[in-house]
Each structure stands twice: as structure tokens, then as C-alpha cells.
Amino acid sequence: MRNLDSEVYEVFAQSDSLSPHVHVFNVQASSPEMALVLAEENFFRRAEFVSLWVVRRDHIHHLGFGDRDGFKKTAKPYRTTDDYKYLRDKWRYYREHPMNPDADRTSTQGGHEHDFTRD
Amino acid sequence: MSQQPLISDREAYFLERLDRGDRIEADDWMPEEYRRQLVRLISIHAVSEIMGALPEKEWVPRAPTLYRKLAITAKVQDEVGHGQLLIRVAEDLMRPWGKTRDDIMEDLFAGRLKYHNVFHMATPTWADAGIIGWLVDGAAVITQGMSLSCSYAPYARALQRIVEEEGFHIQHGESICLALAEGTPMQRAMLQDALTRWWPALLMFFGPPEKSELSTNQLRNLRYRIRSKTNEELRQRFFSKYVHRIRSLGLQIPDRTLAQDAVTKEWHYQQPDWDLFRQIVNNHGPRSQERLGLRRTTYEEGAWVRRMAAQASSV
Ligand SMILES: [Fe+2]
Ligand SMILES: [Fe+2]
């Protein structure tokens, strides 16, 4: 039977002021104040925190895995640096072999663009 | 008797906290001047991200390949997202004044709130889009990298997220510029022209150099640990990071006096026209009015969307 005097509180803590609050665990408590006391006693007997939050579980709205099911199916290399790993080698190469300002070069290194001018 | 203005115990304790390396949160007590400086800095940063999306947005429909179109779209979305993050940080700070993001936008449209000089400039070619990603975002990361150590924690946390995405923007720009540098003579010329066009604006981005004395504003922001470096220190970093790379592509920097002192390592350079800088940031730059106009129109035409979104909870 559910104890009507109690609620479940999810606990979040921040270990230093530049970090986000991270979910720790949860406690059952009769009030937010009680939840804070229990959270501190349960999870912070050793570790330090700069900020501790408790949130009543039924106040949390969430998106589950099902909602994001299709998300992973689309590759998004154009949003990441994955395709740009080659840049490091190029910069190193040109540091050692600077391009000539007046060189009449044609691409041999496979850039993305084709000959292009604005209309 | 001391000539120093009196500061309250609360303010003395606040400064002591800063000196200890404590970071300030939105609901901590803070001197009104600290709040004012932060709101000014963060609102300028926020609207610069939003206005900064516009020069590159012009190239979304004209990007040379589908891949480039996707990448520049992703970057433009990121910039608007950075604006959203920063507006939230500013709104929390403005709460005691009863102000919101609407006031930020109104201040922008009325010319009371300025945005960075670089986003007033024209982007006539695809190479301009490349130079923005490589060097404008590169310059921005130098400033934002300093601000990661800002004493105001919510701003520092926002910047951690922003700087991470800027890493992608810079590589996106490098990739465009390298492809053009390795391309046809026409593409190389286009890249050189874009660099020549952007160079003075890049130097202006860091703000006027400090003469022997810092302004009271700057001294205050250094004291409040809002910033830790001067305009000139940041510009010097930019030179050290990029001059060599620019030259390694066979590009010419349009400043014959640019040179690094072998002993002091200090860069000597031709000052950009600082009167022109003031004109530009006062919305008299080449594209200031068009971009502000576009932003204003979009804002007005989107009013019904904001109204609907605000009512969504009562549906
Ligand atoms: Fe950004
Ligand atoms: Fe960016």
C-alpha cells in the first residue's frame, strides 16, 4: 500500500559550481525539508556538494526512449567534427610546406567544393 | 582620512568571496553595479549570437554542396541556440528589475543595445562564410575562453556549452577555407578577397586597445572577476594563434606593418579605424539596417507564435 503521507523525491547534486546538477538517486519523504535531510544523510556522508536539489517525482515531466526511437537512425555527421579529422594533418602539412601566394594550383587534396562563383 | 568611497559590509564580503574564487549564483546577493555590468555584457553577447546567425544564414540557400548546406544550417541553428541560452541567463539577472527578453529585443531594435561589429558586415561570397567560421568564431572563442573563468556561475556554465559547439563551427570554417585555398585560382582569389575584407573587422572585434590606463568600466570588471584579460591581450592572442596559419595558406594579410617582436613576442600592427568601428556598432555599418530590419520584421511576424506558445499550458 502506498503511504499517502509520503512522496518520492528525486535527488540532484552539483559537485562544483561549474558542473551541472547530476541525478543521484531518490528518497521517500513526507516533505521537501525532510527529503533534503534524508538526501544529505543518505548520499553525502563522504562526498561534498555545493548545491543539493530535491524534486517531487510527480513534478517531473519526461521524454522516454520510445519518444526518441527514430532519432538515432539519422546520421548527423554534418553537426559534428567527425568529418573534419583530416584538418589536423593538413594544417601540419602547410606549416611545413606553406603555399605559395601566387601558385596556380589545382586541387589535388579532395576539398568539398567544385568550381564555384556567385551569380 | 581615506579618499576611497565607502563600501558596505555586504559588498566587502562579496568581494572577499570573489577573491576566494567563489562563484556567484543568480539568487546570491550582489552589488547592483555587478548586476548591471553582467546584464550589459550578457545581453550584448546574446543579441550578437542572434544577429550573428544572419550573415551566414544568407548562404544557407546558396551553399555550394548539399553537405555544406547541412553544415552551415547546423551552425546557424547553434548560434540562435546560443542566443537562447544567454537570454535565459540575462533574464534571471534582470528579474529584480521586472524586465524580460522582450526588453532585450526592444533595446536592440531601438539601438540602445549594440551587437558585435563583425555581424554588421556584408557576406558577398561563399568565402566570407568560410572566414566567419574560421576567424570570427575563432576570435569569439578567444574572448569566450577567457569568460569561462567569469565569477558569475550561470554565465560560465552557459559558456561551457557554447564553447564546445564553437569547436565545430571553427572546423567547419577551416574546412571551407582550406578547400578554397586548395582550389582554382578563382577560388583562391575569392578567399584572399574575403580575408582582406574581414581583417580590420577582426581586429576591431576585441575592442579599442587600452592606452596606459584602463577605463573605470574595465577596472571594475577586472575587480569583479567578470573578465580577466584586456582587449589588447585578447587581440595579441588572436595574432599568435592565427597569423602563421593564415600565411601558411599563401594568403596575404592586408597590413604590411604586421610583425612580432622577437624579444617581447608582442605583435605590432596597423590600428583599424576606430571611428569607423564606433559608427558600425552604432548601427551605421554596411548591413546594420538591413539585418536589424529583418530581425524586427521576423519578431513582429512571429508575435502570434509567441502568443500561442504562451497559452499552450492552458489548452
Ligand atoms: Fe555562437
Ligand atoms: Fe559560432
Side-chain angles (χ1 to χ4, degrees), chain B residues 32-266:
Chain B
E32 197 55 17
E33 189 54 28
Y34 181 77
R35 187 185 300 278
R36 242 197 314 270
Q37 293 290 344
L38 283 172
V39 167
R40 186 174 153 273
L41 173 81
I42 298 167
S43 319
I44 289 175
H45 188 173
V47 297
S48 296
E49 296 279 359
I50 290 169
M51 297 306 288
L54 301 183
E56 284 173 288
K57 163 201 160 297
E58 294 169 14
W59 280 94
V60 168
R62 297 180 289 179
T65 66
L66 178 59
Y67 187 93
R68 294 295 197 204
K69 189 197 283 281
L70 288 167
I72 198 168
T73 307
K75 179 179 190 290
V76 165
Q77 286 181 317
D78 285 350
E79 304 299 8
V80 177
H82 297 169
Q84 296 292 336
L85 239 86
L86 293 163
I87 280 178
R88 279 298 312 123
V89 177
E91 271 187 324
D92 283 347
L93 278 166
M94 295 189 302
R95 184 158 289 177
W97 303 342
K99 289 192 167 182
T100 66
R101 61 183 62 204
D102 296 340
D103 297 284
I104 293 182
M105 295 317 287
E106 288 307 326
D107 282 353
L108 172 70
F109 298 145
R112 287 185 295 267
L113 184 60
K114 311 204 182 320
Y115 62 99
H116 286 158
N117 71 295
V118 280
F119 304 123
H120 296 254
M121 307 309 284
T123 42
T125 72
W126 174 242
D128 294 82
I131 292 283
I132 291 178
W134 180 25
L135 297 176
V136 173
D137 286 58
V141 160
I142 288 177
T143 315
Q144 291 168 12
M146 163 189 78
S147 300
L148 284 172
S149 64
C150 174
S151 59
Y152 187 60
Y155 186 47
R157 288 194 297 265
L159 284 170
Q160 284 186 334
R161 303 187 72 95
I162 290 172
V163 166
E164 200 182 305
E165 288 182 346
E166 295 299 347
F168 157 69
H169 299 173
I170 291 170
Q171 291 189 32
H172 155 84
E174 287 178 9
S175 173
I176 293 172
C177 291
L178 274 164
L180 292 174
E182 291 171 347
T184 62
M186 205 170 176
Q187 287 173 318
R188 284 185 58 78
M190 183 165 73
L191 183 62
Q192 176 65 61
D193 288 349
L195 175 70
T196 306
R197 229 182 341 266
W198 282 86
W199 186 253
L202 286 163
L203 301 195
M204 289 174 184
F205 178 80
F206 298 99
E210 295 77 9
K211 301 279 159 51
S212 47
E213 258 177 50
L214 299 176
S215 70
T216 34
N217 240 6
Q218 260 187 329
L219 282 172
R220 202 179 284 125
N221 286 343
L222 289 165
R223 180 66 192 94
Y224 282 151
R225 295 178 191 261
I226 290 173
R227 64 183 301 169
S228 53
K229 294 196 168 62
T230 63
N231 294 345
E232 192 52 36
E233 284 172 324
L234 294 170
R235 189 169 20 244
Q236 290 287 327
R237 276 189 103 126
F238 177 80
F239 290 132
S240 298
K241 197 163 169 193
Y242 288 107
V243 168
H244 191 76
R245 277 199 170 185
I246 291 169
R247 288 179 173 160
S248 79
L249 299 187
L251 295 170
Q252 262 153 10
I253 295 172
D255 177 359
R256 293 190 180 284
T257 66
L258 182 70
Q260 190 178 24
D261 188 296
V263 182
T264 63
K265 300 287 170 209
E266 197 193 331

